[in-house]
Amino acid sequence: MYDKLNEIREETLRRLNEAGDEKELEALGVSVLGRSGALTEILRGMGKLEKDERAKFGQTANLVKKELEDAISLRREKIAAAMQEKRFALEALDVTEPGVRKRPMGRLHPMTQTYRTIRDALVGMGFTTFDGPEVEYDEYNFTKLNLPKDHPARDMQDTFYVSERVVLRTHTSPCEARALLALEPPFRLVIPGRVFRVDEADASHSPVFMQMEGLVIDRNISLADLKGTIDAFVHAVFGEEVKTRFRPSYFPFTEPSAEVDISCTMCGGCGCRVCKGTGWLEIMGCGITNPHELENCGLDPREWSAFAFGLGVDRVASLRYGITHNRLQYENDARFLGQF
Ligand SMILES: [Zn+2]
């Protein structure tokens, strides 16, 4: 019986160290000290012993029982302390920790980025910005720009009429007339803004788009000044390696007029899908300001001469960023805009 008692004692102390939580400890206690526990069984079997033996064994067994009870309660305290420590660790709050939830960063629209690049290139050449209204008099939008009421070139633009005399401007050029009337030449202006045309929205058309226009007026302005300025401007916006070429064209407010092409920014001029195999991309219209426009704005074309150029900011943005559908720039889908 002593051997059995010792066995129970050692077994219990060993299992005690393995008990990881309150529940396991409780189960262990019951299996040893409970009503039908191992130790209780032994104490119960003591009745068969002789009187002297019984007293002696009883004393030993009670010592063991006391030892085990103490060991169990000590273990219980340790487990409780460990649990509390664990909970404290979990609940701990580090007030110096940086915030983990990052808010998505806003970015500039590709068109805004492109506009700023173009504007900065021109401002670097001594241009200043000039602004005008989007709802404009027919007078400034057409008549002053050498497009009188019966001029066939008015058919080139499908215009939103607000009233007989008022339109949504079809280009930024009415600001040219406003500037020529208001400012004292010489000056150089960059004129950005939204313009409107009656157009179904598709891959390359939109009823509203962003245009940008440059106007330079001085004495003895020549086509060489125009070409030099546009060359410098194209290099600043698209890179030094990009070439330009001028093709004769027609605009009512310039004479002579030209379309400007740049060597394809996608293929470098070898020919690709974007440039339709030609190696060139049409980028803007330009020309020497028609003397009639200067006259209409009260300036003497024998004293003053000017040149102007205009381009679509969305088109330039598409070429810079390889955007295939212009329309995407007006839909303001955050998934699209987040890429720039
Ligand atoms: Zn190409």
Side-chain angles (χ1 to χ4, degrees), residues 264 266-269 271-275 279:
C264 179
M266 303 289 166
C267 63
C272 70
R273 228 162 37 118
V274 175
C275 57

Side-chain angles (χ1 to χ4, degrees), residues 36-300:
S36 50
L39 192 64
T40 318
E41 290 288 317
I42 284 204
L43 288 171
R44 219 172 265 153
M46 241 170 32
K48 294 176 204 145
L49 295 173
E50 294 296 318
K51 196 179 172 195
D52 286 355
E53 269 301 300
R54 195 193 310 163
K56 208 173 140 209
F57 183 78
Q59 217 171 16
T60 313
N62 275 326
L63 279 176
V64 169
K65 190 180 174 193
K66 179 85 173 56
E67 186 193 357
L68 293 181
E69 278 170 353
D70 288 350
I72 287 175
S73 73
L74 191 71
R75 181 75 187 144
R76 178 172 291 128
E77 275 167 32
K78 271 192 183 165
I79 287 176
M83 296 288 279
Q84 193 172 44
E85 202 132 306
K86 216 164 144 186
R87 207 175 63 233
F88 283 166
L90 273 174
E91 288 172 0
L93 187 69
D94 179 1
V95 292
T96 64
E97 193 180 70
V100 277
R101 262 175 297 171
K102 280 191 187 155
R103 300 203 173 273
M105 287 271 283
R107 294 154 202 260
L108 290 176
H109 196 287
M111 228 178 329
T112 308
Q113 292 182 35
T114 303
Y115 157 63
R116 290 189 179 180
T117 306
I118 298 172
R119 180 200 59 193
D120 292 350
L122 290 171
V123 166
M125 291 190 264
F127 284 67
T128 49
T129 49
F130 188 85
D131 203 8
E134 290 174 357
V135 182
E136 183 58 282
Y137 289 112
D138 174 295
E139 171 85 7
Y140 291 105
N141 195 75
F142 295 122
T143 316
K144 287 228 184 302
L145 305 176
N146 198 32
L147 280 157
K149 274 262 185 290
D150 54 351
H151 196 290
R154 285 200 180 200
D155 292 340
M156 286 163 69
Q157 291 153 351
D158 293 322
T159 312
F160 285 110
Y161 276 88
V162 176
S163 71
E164 207 174 317
R165 286 177 54 233
V166 178
V167 299
L168 297 186
R169 65 178 178 193
T170 57
H171 45 192
T172 44
S173 305
C175 291
E176 283 191 15
R178 286 177 175 274
L180 291 170
L181 284 161
L183 306 176
E184 198 66 45
F187 55 76
R188 300 170 204 192
L189 298 180
V190 47
I191 305 158
R194 267 183 295 194
V195 301
F196 308 85
R197 305 273 173 91
V198 180
D199 248 335
E200 281 298 322
D202 64 20
S204 53
H205 294 87
S206 165
V208 51
F209 54 99
M210 191 168 173
Q211 211 176 47
M212 202 144 150
E213 175 145 347
L215 174 67
V216 173
I217 180 163
D218 208 332
R219 292 180 176 90
N220 305 316
I221 287 284
S222 73
L223 205 57
D225 296 314
L226 167 64
K227 289 184 76 173
T229 304
I230 285 178
D231 261 342
F233 159 73
V234 164
H235 290 156
V237 175
F238 292 100
E240 283 299 325
E241 68 289 350
V242 173
K243 292 194 261 312
T244 54
R245 82 175 177 188
F246 292 72
R247 281 183 292 111
S249 184
Y250 168 77
F251 304 109
F253 23 85
T254 47
E255 180 59 42
S257 306
E259 294 273 4
V260 181
D261 296 341
I262 59 169
S263 55
C264 179
T265 50
M266 303 289 166
C267 63
C270 316
C272 70
R273 228 162 37 118
V274 175
C275 57
K276 299 188 178 79
T278 62
W280 294 95
L281 297 166
E282 191 182 313
I283 190 94
M284 66 173 112
C286 65
I288 298 293
T289 305
N290 194 307
H292 291 307
E293 181 183 326
L294 298 180
E295 253 167 19
N296 290 343
C297 298
L299 292 166
D300 183 354

Side-chain angles (χ1 to χ4, degrees), residues 22 289 323:
E22 206 95 19
T289 305
I323 300 167

